[in-house]
Amino acid sequence: MYVIVVYDIEEKRVSKICKFLRLYLNWIQNSVFEGELTESELKKIKKELKKLIDKDYDSILIFCMKNKRYVDKEVIGIEKTELTNIF
């Protein structure tokens, strides 16, 4: 499935969240990641994110689509990061 993760995290936890998400997804913009995941990978990510955040201050949004072809993405201005395959 194709997943977009957007987060608003207190500054002292941002680097931990960013490093963790880079293990699974492509960083595309400040606080935004995207990529293809399996169901088990998504469950694993959700479980770990719940451990890393402070639920009273932090917010994470996860958008799931069946696959990337159902998403029309348009970039206005510069594209911050070139997408790469993660192995």
Side-chain angles (χ1 to χ4, degrees):
M1 83 180 64
Y2 183 73
V3 177
I4 299 171
V5 177
V6 180
Y7 60 85
D8 185 3
I9 303 292
E10 193 170 296
E11 191 174 335
K12 62 186 175 184
R13 286 183 290 282
V14 167
S15 64
K16 284 184 183 180
I17 299 296
C18 186
K19 285 179 187 176
F20 172 72
L21 288 174
R22 282 184 178 194
L23 297 173
Y24 296 93
L25 298 165
N26 295 300
W27 174 81
I28 59 166
Q29 204 170 65
N30 296 341
S31 304
V32 182
F33 286 79
E34 70 178 0
E36 295 283 341
L37 295 174
T38 64
E39 287 282 338
S40 62
E41 287 172 327
L42 181 58
K43 285 181 185 180
K44 188 176 187 179
I45 288 171
K46 287 180 181 181
K47 184 177 180 178
E48 188 62 28
L49 288 174
K50 287 177 184 178
K51 292 178 192 175
L52 293 172
I53 70 166
D54 182 330
K55 293 178 185 171
D56 293 329
Y57 296 99
D58 302 330
S59 175
I60 298 176
L61 302 174
I62 301 173
F63 300 91
C64 301
M65 280 85 23
K66 296 275 184 207
N67 61 49
K68 191 174 180 176
R69 74 175 169 205
Y70 295 112
V71 177
D72 291 326
K73 178 173 126 180
E74 180 179 349
V75 178
I76 298 174
I78 63 167
E79 189 154 358
K80 293 234 177 182
T81 305
E82 183 180 326
L83 292 182
T84 59
N85 290 330
I86 299 175
F87 298 98

